[in-house]
Amino acid sequence: VSMIKEKTFYGIKCDGCGRMLPGEWDADAYYETKDFIEEVAIDSDWKKFRGKHYCPDCYQYGDNDELILRDGVVIMPEENDWE
């Protein structure tokens, strides 16, 4: 009887630059639920737009609180998936 058990964990990768959401000590963060990893991302200032995730290095705020992605896409506040 094998005592090896398989378990699924979730991480988030930035769709802008490919960087993984960091956890403690800058290691990649992996958590047991999608909801929890998204909470961690929100707390880490990551943004989600149309199912894609963006780290703080891949967006900036414009004069009207819109997000401007690294590739030039502009997201108005009401279009943001996360508050």
Side-chain angles (χ1 to χ4, degrees):
V1 176
S2 176
M3 297 305 288
I4 297 174
K5 304 290 181 191
E6 183 176 328
K7 188 161 184 97
T8 301
F9 288 88
Y10 300 92
I12 293 180
K13 182 177 178 181
C14 178
D15 288 289
C17 67
R19 177 178 107 166
M20 290 295 293
L21 174 69
E24 293 183 46
W25 305 291
D26 288 326
D28 295 347
Y30 290 95
Y31 295 95
E32 293 183 18
T33 67
K34 291 178 183 178
D35 289 340
F36 191 77
I37 190 73
E38 289 201 336
E39 286 180 32
V40 172
I42 291 168
D43 291 344
S44 300
D45 294 326
W46 283 51
K47 301 294 180 191
K48 182 178 178 184
F49 177 66
R50 295 186 180 160
K52 294 186 176 184
H53 299 89
Y54 298 95
C55 72
D57 292 337
C58 288
Y59 71 85
Q60 62 184 1
Y61 284 100
D63 294 335
N64 297 311
D65 291 331
E66 73 276 19
L67 288 177
I68 303 169
L69 301 181
R70 178 185 275 185
D71 62 6
V73 172
V74 176
I75 304 167
M76 299 310 292
E78 60 275 7
E79 297 178 285
N80 215 358
D81 290 354
W82 290 339
E83 291 300 320

